[in-house]
């Protein structure tokens, strides 16, 4: 890119991208690469939502995610009547009337002082130290699931998502906020529905049910406080208290975001390792590589396709594209994480990548809105992969990688099943 390219704003004139296009959904890494190489920014559209700019380059997205001239909260745009794309998206998908207030009260859709206040109340629960203290419990949960894994196998083949990748994170997050064990399957089912790409009454009912359950959980913890995050937030001694709507929104946010991304990261990572035997052998030969491996797997096959849109609070330029006040920019994370301007050989899985050089990915976002649960997701994934590969070192895919079923979700790139063939540890090996 020349200096003239950088200094001279340009307009995009192409037909807007259909962000639900089958190719973009099936393989966002390849499909968005063509967009990234063609334009700094493209115009994109989603049914029922106003058109927006689509950012695909690493540096552009880092800038939009950290620049105070962009906000996640559409209502914070001065002097402009801006439709909130997040609300539009959920309404178009089937969210029942009246539930918009929980989006507005949530930590993910807040910005500025409101965001700092909400995030500050829960940041300590997800600090590296607190997460490290959870590791023995995560290991125990993973071990118990692996103990039962052979019982679910049919002729040695088992769906690793259904019986391992999915129950591990939902159990951890439900224990963190003290969801009763009898209710956890319902929470898991509803949160899976919310992130599966379904629309209409099915989605509306799942969201309404989760809100109802969150209200019941608040009532329970109010009457019977315990040693958990929700009881801590409800404690009378706290000067900064969450409103009831904010607490309900926080609970639903934590349950959905606190486990779905990790489920998909564990599954995507396992598939990637089994499809790259050289990298798997490298990891098995050097367990100290695991933290770097998880970081690279989040870059290479992370489930997050796109982040929440950011709104320009003034006229500005991103890359070489003018962005007007109130216009939305949608960050395509999967494109940024394969940008050759930011990563050496970006389409190659290299588990030792960040051990040797600093090439920070955007899988957990960037700036003030970087994923609150990033440390927990990394820890759970590291524990899951370590335990799985130690218990079943001969693990392999039961079908060709090209035949693995994937969800038709333009936001999350994920498998709907991961059939693997189990090979137990050799005699005498301790699991």
């Amino acid at each position: 890119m020349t200096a003239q390219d950088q200094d001279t704003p340009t307009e995009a004139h192409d037909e807007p991208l259909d962000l639900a296009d089958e190719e973009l959904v099936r393989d966002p890494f390849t499909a968005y690469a063509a967009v990234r190489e063609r334009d700094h920014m493209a115009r994109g559209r989603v049914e029922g939502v106003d058109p927006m700019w689509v950012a695909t380059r690493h540096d552009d997205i880092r800038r939009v995610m950290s620049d105070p001239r962009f906000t996640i909260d559409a209502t914070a745009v001065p002097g402009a009547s801006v439709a909130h794309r997040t609300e539009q998206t959920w309404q178009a998908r089937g969210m029942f009337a009246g539930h918009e207030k929980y989006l507005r009260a949530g930590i993910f859709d807040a910005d500025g002082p409101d965001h700092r206040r909400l995030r500050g109340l829960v940041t300590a629960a997800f600090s590296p130290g607190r997460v490290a203290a959870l590791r023995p419990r995560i290991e125990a949960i993973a071990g118990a699931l692996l103990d039962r894994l052979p019982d679910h196998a049919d002729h040695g083949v088992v769906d690793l998502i259904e019986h391992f990748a999915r129950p591990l994170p939902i159990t951890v997050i439900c224990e963190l906020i003290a969801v009763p064990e009898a209710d956890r399957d319902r929470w898991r089912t509803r949160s899976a529905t919310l992130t599966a790409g379904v629309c209409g009454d099915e989605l509306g009912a799942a969201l309404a049910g989760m809100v109802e359950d969150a209200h019941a959980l608040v009532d329970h913890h109010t009457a019977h406080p315990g040693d958990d995050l929700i009881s801590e937030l409800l404690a009378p001694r706290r000067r900064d208290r969450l409103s009831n709507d904010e607490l309900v929104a926080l609970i639903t946010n934590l349950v959905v975001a606190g486990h779905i991304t990790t489920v998909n990261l564990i599954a995507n990572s396992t598939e990637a390792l089994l499809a790259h035997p050289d990298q798997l052998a490298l990891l098995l030969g050097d367990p100290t590589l695991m933290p770097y491996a998880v970081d690279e797997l989040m870059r290479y096959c992370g489930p997050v396709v796109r982040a929440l849109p950011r709104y320009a609070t003034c006229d500005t330029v991103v890359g070489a594209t003018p962005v007007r006040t109130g216009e939305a920019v949608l960050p395509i994370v999967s494109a940024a994480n394969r940008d050759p301007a930011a990563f050496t050989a970006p389409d190659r899985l290299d588990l030792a990548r960040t051990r040797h050089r600093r090439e920070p990915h955007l899988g957990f976002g960037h700036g003030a809105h970087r994923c609150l649960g990033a440390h927990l997701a990394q820890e759970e994934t590291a524990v899951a992969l370590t335990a799985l590969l130690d218990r079943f070192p001969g693990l392999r895919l039961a079908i060709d990688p090209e035949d693995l079923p994937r969800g038709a979700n333009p936001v999350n790139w994920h498998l709907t099943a991961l059939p693997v063939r189990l090979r137990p540890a050799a005699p005498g090996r301790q699991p």
Side-chain angles (χ1 to χ4, degrees):
M1 180 169 52
T2 66
Q4 182 178 5
D5 292 329
Q6 291 177 317
D7 295 337
T8 304
T10 60
E11 299 280 0
H13 300 287
D14 292 341
E15 181 72 16
L17 288 170
D18 177 3
L19 297 176
D21 178 78
E22 182 179 347
E23 286 302 307
L24 293 176
V25 174
R26 184 185 61 82
D27 184 2
F29 304 102
T30 301
Y32 277 114
V35 179
R36 183 188 63 229
E37 299 311 311
R38 185 175 67 244
D39 296 309
H40 265 286
M41 300 247 279
R43 293 296 278 172
R45 60 182 174 85
V46 177
E47 185 177 354
V49 180
D50 292 344
M52 62 191 83
W53 290 108
V54 176
T56 54
R57 299 187 180 184
H58 187 277
D59 286 351
D60 291 345
I61 293 175
R62 274 180 64 95
R63 180 255 169 120
V64 168
M65 285 182 167
S66 58
D67 191 327
R69 290 174 292 185
F70 287 91
T71 177
I72 276 182
D73 181 5
T75 65
V77 177
S81 176
V82 180
H84 199 299
R85 271 70 170 185
T86 304
E87 285 188 23
Q88 285 184 330
T89 300
W90 282 98
Q91 288 165 345
R93 287 182 60 192
M95 180 176 67
F96 294 166
H99 286 95
E100 298 89 348
K101 66 179 182 178
Y102 297 110
L103 293 178
R104 299 182 193 124
I107 190 171
F108 298 144
D109 292 276
D111 224 331
D114 280 344
H115 177 255
R116 289 191 292 272
R117 178 179 65 87
L118 292 170
R119 191 177 178 102
L121 289 171
V122 295
T123 294
F126 297 95
S127 68
R130 291 284 288 273
V131 168
L134 289 174
R135 185 175 180 108
R137 180 58 189 149
I138 300 171
E139 290 174 335
I141 295 168
L145 291 169
L146 292 175
D147 287 343
R148 297 192 294 270
L149 202 57
D151 298 335
H152 299 292
D154 181 8
H155 295 92
V157 175
V158 64
D159 180 2
L160 200 67
I161 293 179
E162 180 67 22
H163 301 294
F164 183 64
R166 186 174 292 144
L168 173 60
I170 190 65
T171 302
V172 173
I173 198 67
C174 282
E175 287 190 359
L176 192 64
I177 62 174
V179 173
E181 190 167 351
D183 297 340
R184 291 175 188 173
D185 280 345
R186 189 169 69 247
W187 283 83
R188 177 184 60 80
T189 300
R190 286 172 174 163
S191 61
T193 299
L194 295 180
T195 57
V198 301
C199 296
D201 288 347
E202 184 180 0
L203 179 135
L207 181 57
M210 183 168 282
V211 166
E212 182 180 350
D213 279 351
H215 276 290
L217 194 62
V218 171
D219 291 343
H220 173 78
H221 286 316
T222 300
H224 307 284
D227 184 19
D228 60 86
L229 177 59
I230 304 306
S231 295
E232 170 66 19
L233 293 173
L234 286 165
R237 67 179 181 276
R238 298 192 69 98
R239 288 188 301 171
D240 294 324
R241 299 291 298 276
L242 294 171
S243 70
N244 204 51
D245 287 350
E246 287 174 336
L247 194 51
V248 167
L250 177 65
I251 291 170
T252 57
N253 288 165
L254 287 177
V255 171
V256 175
H259 94 278
I260 287 294
T261 297
T262 310
V263 171
N264 295 331
L265 178 57
I266 292 170
N268 289 358
S269 296
T270 303
E271 187 272 330
L273 289 173
L274 297 180
H276 293 80
D278 60 324
Q279 293 298 299
L280 177 58
L282 184 68
L283 182 60
L284 290 173
D286 182 6
T288 67
L289 194 59
M290 184 59 77
Y292 306 101
V294 171
D295 199 49
E296 169 69 350
L297 288 161
M298 187 64 178
R299 181 201 70 84
Y300 179 82
C301 59
V304 179
V305 176
R306 64 195 198 208
L308 290 174
R310 267 65 169 178
Y311 304 90
T313 60
C314 61
D315 290 351
T316 185
V317 175
V318 176
T321 303
V323 178
R324 308 305 180 195
T325 301
E327 289 187 323
V329 177
L330 186 68
I332 305 299
V333 173
S334 55
N337 284 342
R338 297 285 191 94
D339 188 347
F343 301 98
T344 306
D347 293 322
R348 185 182 72 215
L349 179 63
D350 177 6
L351 299 186
R353 180 181 298 271
T354 55
R355 171 178 278 181
H356 300 316
R357 55 189 177 273
R358 178 169 172 76
E359 293 184 340
H361 64 75
L362 300 176
F364 291 113
H366 178 66
H369 286 272
R370 188 176 188 273
C371 177
L372 180 66
H375 295 301
L376 181 59
Q378 290 168 315
E379 191 79 7
E380 288 177 307
T381 303
V383 168
L385 294 177
T386 299
L388 178 66
L389 296 174
D390 186 64
R391 186 74 63 93
F392 302 105
L395 190 75
R396 59 188 175 92
L397 294 174
I399 60 176
D400 289 338
E402 295 78 12
D403 296 329
L404 290 169
R406 293 197 177 275
N409 189 327
V411 178
N412 295 293
W413 189 70
H414 69 283
L415 295 161
T416 57
L418 181 55
V420 295
R421 189 170 297 280
L422 301 178
R423 289 188 177 178
R429 180 183 174 91
Q430 294 299 313

